[in-house]
Amino acid sequence: MDEPFILVERKEGYRIVTLNRPTRLNSFNEAMHLQLRAALSEAEQDLSCRAVMLTGAGRGFCAGQDLSDRVMGKGAAPPDLGATIETYYNPLVKQLRALPMPIVCAVNGVAAGAGVNIALACDIVVAARSASFLEAFARIGLIPDAGGTWFLPRLVGESRARGMALLAEPVPAETAERWGLIWKCLDDNELMGEAHALCSRFAEGATRGLALAKRALGASSTNTLDAQLSLERDLQREAGRTADYAEGVRAFMEKRKPGFRGRV
Ligand code: T3D
């Protein structure tokens, strides 16, 4: 049986999913991919789960692909990386984006390679001041994958995206916040407290509305304004039919905190 490369902790209304290969800076092997996929699917199926926190064990967040699985003997046929991307990384990014609840990524230390882009696929990224973001691919002759070439220019603009991708230098968490790559950089000892506070807040949120907002934002960068306005109309129609919307309006009028029911 595989080791537990993914740890799951259940909290009131949310789950903490921890990448757990600390001696390899939580880099991905196949077993970790499969365990992460299963953990996210279980979170999705549990209607009481209204947010997910993704973080790493030990001093790093995630160093991307485990390169010890990619060492080639001289003269050996190269691996088909397109196949591993298709089988593991692309489904993971799509799964994170489609999760019907917010995902808070608590970047506790260095994020490198696909580790950066998996963080960027999450909804809210908070990072410890000591963390850094390293699109390491150019150092080994690869291109940013796991959505990197899509996320980077959208988040930080073309020139910074090209700098990160082509120079492969670490971007400190403080700079990442200033550039808009992430939501917030926090003192190391405040990171997990803030990540828990965000998840607790989402665990009391109007989850279906938040999921619809994720969908709308996810579609916006490839839509025309006309198409986006139509999508907003359709998704708002759906949001307007939720019990949480009715409760939100009632609570506002009665000047009280809303008691949202979330995914039910
Ligand atoms: O292959 C496919 O399927 C295609 C998909 C590719 C996706 C990718 O992510 S490709 C990019 C892979 N990642 C990298 O290139 C990053 C490699 N790691 C680093 O550059 C450095 O480790 C860091 C800059 C992230 C951190 O540096 P530092 O000095 O803080 O730590 P370290 O000493 O390098 O690493 C600590 C240990 O973790 C070390 O092991 P040791 O010597 O203590 O036994 C190191 O070998 C191991 N480690 C770190 N990253 C990886 C790794 N082992 C395997 N794979 C790694 N990616």
Side-chain angles (χ1 to χ4, degrees):
M1 201 171 111
D2 283 321
E3 292 171 55
F5 295 135
I6 295 294
L7 306 176
V8 178
E9 199 182 333
R10 288 166 179 76
K11 297 283 187 187
E12 189 66 41
Y14 66 98
R15 290 181 183 205
I16 308 169
V17 175
T18 303
L19 309 177
N20 184 41
R21 300 185 72 224
T23 55
R24 294 273 169 97
L25 294 182
N26 305 318
S27 54
F28 276 92
N29 59 12
E30 288 186 9
M32 189 165 103
H33 268 294
L34 293 174
Q35 290 177 26
L36 179 57
R37 186 178 296 178
L40 294 173
S41 297
E42 279 168 26
E44 182 172 355
Q45 279 151 27
D46 172 5
L47 293 184
S48 73
C49 178
R50 294 161 73 176
V52 170
M53 185 200 302
L54 182 65
T55 191
R59 74 173 175 90
F61 170 65
C62 174
Q65 171 63 39
D66 185 328
L67 294 176
S68 68
D69 289 348
R70 296 288 181 267
V71 180
M72 282 160 275
K74 274 217 170 102
D80 179 357
L81 299 189
T84 65
I85 299 281
E86 185 67 23
T87 310
Y88 296 111
Y89 289 98
N90 287 357
L92 171 57
V93 170
K94 289 181 192 179
Q95 191 179 20
L96 290 166
R97 297 301 271 188
L99 215 63
M101 68 200 81
I103 316 169
V104 174
C105 187
V107 181
N108 52 301
V110 64
V116 177
N117 302 326
I118 284 158
L120 300 182
C122 297
D123 298 304
I124 304 277
V125 186
V126 284
R129 204 166 296 283
S130 63
S132 57
F133 296 83
L134 169 60
E135 295 279 358
F137 304 88
R139 294 184 179 190
I140 55 168
L142 294 185
I143 69 157
D145 56 24
T149 59
W150 195 88
F151 294 124
L152 287 177
R154 284 170 174 79
L155 291 169
V156 297
E158 207 43 47
S159 57
R160 284 169 174 160
R162 283 174 191 256
M164 286 185 75
L166 305 184
L167 298 173
E169 287 173 5
V171 174
E174 246 171 45
T175 310
E177 179 192 293
R178 189 156 37 83
W179 286 1
L181 186 70
I182 63 167
W183 171 240
K184 255 184 203 171
C185 161
L186 298 150
D187 287 340
D188 288 21
N189 59 4
E190 287 175 5
L191 175 73
M192 292 315 285
E194 176 68 11
H196 280 287
L198 287 165
C199 287
S200 298
R201 176 170 159 185
F202 285 135
E204 294 185 348
T207 317
R208 289 179 59 197
L210 296 174
L212 293 169
K214 280 180 63 159
R215 259 170 66 189
L217 288 166
S220 76
S221 55
T222 46
N223 265 347
T224 60
L225 176 60
D226 269 358
Q228 192 66 14
L229 289 173
S230 300
L231 180 66
E232 286 179 2
R233 175 202 58 213
D234 295 344
L235 297 181
Q236 199 69 300
R237 181 172 287 138
E238 209 175 318
R241 290 176 177 148
T242 62
D244 281 347
Y245 167 61
E247 165 61 6
V249 174
R250 270 196 308 270
F252 175 79
M253 296 309 294
E254 293 163 14
K255 298 189 188 304
R256 62 173 171 80
K257 188 177 169 222
F260 291 129
R261 293 166 57 201
R263 298 177 64 197
V264 291

